[in-house]
């Protein structure tokens, strides 16, 4: 005989909704609302959680900049990091005392994520070592293959909110 969870797994959501109504749809979820860091759209690494210094809800990443994965890495203008290795599919760049920009970490040229070798503060460009192309960080000027797309960010003290779009 099936227990309630197995039953819901087998029939969710259509049948359960038809029999029991909307309240049972929530019981069909494989994760609770308290789960964090289990979404990892295209990134590598651990996928987040408190141990990684960020949580994920849909496409929104809430990042604790005091966590060791980030602390000291984005303090000064021109500091940058690729979040791919810790499960955030984005580049980060400190552009002022009150702003950290987020960018896709997919190179516009051949769509690689992990070949970013540097950010040149003088030219304002990220450098992809795969083929030596560089990409302006202004969110509008194209490099070879296109513009390095920006994501929305909000910096509030030591919390950075990144929305992947
Ligand atoms: S993949 Fe980045 S320069 Fe070619």
């Amino acid at each position: 005989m099936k227990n309630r969870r197995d039953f819901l797994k087998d029939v969710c959501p259509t049948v359960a909704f038809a029999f029991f109504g909307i309240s049972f749809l929530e019981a069909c979820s494989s994760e609770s609302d308290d789960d964090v860091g289990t979404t990892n759209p295209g990134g590598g690494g651990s996928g987040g959680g408190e141990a990684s210094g960020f949580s994920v809800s849909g496409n929104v990443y809430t990042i604790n900049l005091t966590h060791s994965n980030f602390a000291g890495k984005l303090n000064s203008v021109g500091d940058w990091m690729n979040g791919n290795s810790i499960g955030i599919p984005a580049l980060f760049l400190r552009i002022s005392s009150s702003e950290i920009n987020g960018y896709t970490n997919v190179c516009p040229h051949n769509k690689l994520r992990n070949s970013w070798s540097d950010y040149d503060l003088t030219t304002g460009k990220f450098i992809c070592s795969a083929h030596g192309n560089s990409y302006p960080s202004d969110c509008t000027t194209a490099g070879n293959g296109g513009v390095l797309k920006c994501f929305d960010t909000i910096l509030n003290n030591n919390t950075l909110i990144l929305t992947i779009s």
Side-chain angles (χ1 to χ4, degrees):
M1 181 168 170
K2 291 183 176 187
N3 65 27
R4 177 177 173 266
R5 184 175 184 84
D6 289 340
F7 170 74
L8 290 172
K9 237 190 251 178
D10 288 344
V11 301
C12 280
T14 310
V15 175
F17 179 76
F19 282 102
F20 305 112
I22 195 80
S23 64
F24 272 77
L25 287 178
E26 289 185 10
C28 299
S29 172
S30 61
E31 298 174 289
S32 76
D33 290 341
D34 296 333
D35 289 340
V36 292
T38 52
T39 302
N40 190 15
S46 63
E50 281 187 30
S52 297
F54 66 92
S55 61
V56 189
S57 178
N59 61 340
V60 178
Y61 290 71
T62 301
I63 297 163
N64 173 6
L65 294 174
T66 66
H67 186 275
S68 59
N69 275 339
F70 306 95
K73 296 179 180 173
L74 294 168
N75 287 355
S76 303
V77 171
D79 286 354
W80 72 281
M81 65 177 282
N82 186 352
N84 199 65
S85 63
I86 56 171
I88 305 176
L91 299 175
F92 297 98
L93 173 67
R94 169 70 75 168
I95 63 167
S96 75
S97 61
S98 59
E99 294 172 286
I100 294 174
N101 273 4
Y103 307 83
T104 178
N105 64 7
V106 177
C107 180
H109 181 226
N110 270 6
K111 315 306 180 200
L112 301 179
R113 289 182 184 274
N114 294 316
S115 295
W116 301 104
S117 60
D118 205 357
Y119 176 76
D120 185 331
L121 186 56
T122 304
T123 63
K125 294 179 177 180
F126 285 100
I127 299 165
C128 178
S129 61
H131 305 97
N133 293 320
S134 54
Y135 297 90
S137 58
D138 64 4
C139 312
T140 57
T141 307
N144 185 6
V147 173
L148 188 63
K149 182 182 177 183
C150 289
F151 298 141
D152 288 338
T153 55
I154 298 169
L155 181 60
N156 186 8
N157 297 317
N158 288 316
T159 301
L160 178 67
I161 298 173
L162 167 77
T163 302
I164 302 281
S165 56

